[in-house]
Amino acid sequence: MLQGVLARLDDSGNHVPRFTPPRCLLERQAVGGCDACHAACPHDAINVGMLGASIQIDPDLCTGCGICVQVCPTGALEYNLLPTLQSVKDQQSQPGRPAQDASLTCSQSGAGGPSLPCLGRVTPALLSAAGAWNTPLTLIHGACDTCAVGAPDVPARLTRVLEETQRLRAPTGHPAQVTVRAVTPDDAGRALKVSRRGAFGAMFRAAGQQVAQSIPESPLPFVDWSVPEDRTPQEWQWRARTLKPAPPAGVGLHWPAPLVDDTCIDCPVCANVCPTDAITRDLQPDGGVRLLLNLAACTGCMACLRSCPPQAIHAQEAWLPAAFEAPILLRESDSVM
């Protein structure tokens, strides 16, 4: 019974990421496709196949490092963010008390405290959450040059993830306080520091990590594509949620997304290739069409831009906060192709 409960609380035994085909640019047949996961995998665990089975992950070669998830531009590959977010939240200082550092370590480092199989799993959403909670976060890695789980360039990848996080958080006025460093001898005795409220949950999750090897694989459930809210990956849902404190109304948010100009021929290509259905075509009773953008659902992959036949789509890097509150009208036409 205990193992069943722990399996629901912690996905640390889930070394193979979930693949959601409708979010994959290969499955969407976007121009140029995408092989980011295949190119980034340090263990040759990912193969690119035919339509309908575009991404194939060999569980015997996959180490769960998460680098493929980190580089996926659409969230087609993902791990459950919630256990790691909760781990950082549990280490948060109480109101009125001095800021208390939280930490995440790689499993191979030998450091104490909450760990991930590899810090290649760290994404901007996680770092932005720490920034929103005003929690200084230390990421401790081991000897990446010789690690059998991750890759030698994991520290450099973390630097790029942090840069993306700071661009995201800049309008809030509260950058994420993140330190990336190698393990030291003093880290071996690091204790898990949590608030009293989070102590029990942290203890339970720590126990889950200890028995992770004996817990059967319990992959994330498949995305229910009939629910529009579920089409947006957790990563981008949490990026939007963690934009706290709320940016001023006149300050632009870094959220790359498409704009459409007057050379548009009203074809359906952009909506067809969009991996999260952030772009939709609203057909009107009079025969016209409205092209709408749900900005919060856009991952900025720009498959629409690369696939647009007349090259009528352009990227806009920053948007005012009000643009997240309702669908944006990209184009309105009285005719449809």
Side-chain angles (χ1 to χ4, degrees), residues 255-291:
W255 199 281
L259 280 178
V260 178
D261 65 30
D262 290 338
T263 63
C264 174
I265 57 175
D266 302 310
C267 75
V269 169
C270 57
N272 289 345
V273 302
C274 182
T276 57
D277 286 359
I279 297 179
T280 55
R281 299 173 82 238
D282 185 9
L283 298 178
Q284 302 299 298
D286 61 0
V289 63
R290 301 171 78 238
L291 194 64

Side-chain angles (χ1 to χ4, degrees), residues 1-80:
M1 179 178 178
L2 176 61
Q3 288 189 2
V5 173
L6 292 173
R8 290 192 294 272
L9 289 176
D10 188 354
D11 75 338
S12 59
N14 252 356
H15 69 282
V16 177
R18 176 177 68 181
F19 175 55
T20 302
R23 292 186 189 145
C24 180
L25 297 183
L26 295 177
E27 294 288 335
R28 288 283 185 164
Q29 301 185 66
V31 171
C34 178
D35 69 345
C37 57
H38 170 75
C41 180
H43 307 292
D44 296 325
I46 300 178
N47 292 313
V48 177
M50 302 295 291
L51 189 65
S54 55
I55 298 299
Q56 303 165 28
I57 304 177
D58 186 336
D60 294 329
L61 296 178
C62 177
T63 64
C65 68
I67 291 175
C68 60
V69 172
Q70 197 180 72
V71 302
C72 180
T74 65
L77 293 170
E78 61 183 340
Y79 288 109
N80 187 4

